Amino acid sequence: MHFLRFAGALALAVVAVTAAPALADDPNDPTMRSAAAKARDRAIIKRLNQEQLRYVQQRDARLAAGNAASREWAAKENARRMATWRHAVRMCESGRHKYCAR
């Protein structure tokens, strides 16, 4: 039992020491001093943003289609259940009492 605690603590310590935090862009980075480097960086960021936008739009379209299909199924199921209930009410009111318990 003590070994497992020690092993878990050791694994956590190794992960904590080896995982370095990601640093934001350094404004003093010497490779970003030229206008060409900044323009290249802007172009890369713009491309990445456009790719992400395209991904999100496609994902949202898939989700919207799934939601529409789900709503359509729910509406049909509700209509079916209401028709069954209305039938039971008519049968109960006409004297067929086995339908009254529903």
Side-chain angles (χ1 to χ4, degrees):
M1 183 70 164
H2 292 295
F3 174 73
L4 292 177
R5 283 188 186 170
F6 175 74
L10 181 62
L12 183 61
V14 167
V15 168
V17 170
T18 59
L23 301 175
D25 288 339
D26 182 5
N28 300 319
D29 184 2
T31 62
M32 294 302 292
R33 289 190 180 153
S34 72
K38 290 178 183 176
R40 196 169 41 251
D41 192 52
R42 274 193 302 275
I44 291 169
I45 291 170
K46 183 176 181 178
R47 180 182 53 81
L48 291 172
N49 284 338
Q50 288 170 341
E51 288 174 4
Q52 190 64 27
L53 175 63
R54 199 168 24 260
Y55 165 78
V56 167
Q57 289 171 336
Q58 290 171 350
R59 180 204 62 198
D60 289 351
R62 281 192 314 274
L63 290 174
N67 289 341
S70 178
R71 282 191 304 275
E72 182 179 329
W73 177 86
K76 286 180 182 178
E77 180 65 14
N78 187 46
R80 184 191 66 76
R81 287 183 178 184
M82 286 300 293
T84 302
W85 177 79
R86 286 183 179 119
H87 174 72
V89 168
R90 283 192 306 274
M91 293 292 109
C92 177
E93 289 173 347
S94 71
R96 300 191 57 196
H97 296 289
K98 73 176 187 176
Y99 285 94
C100 296
R102 293 183 178 189

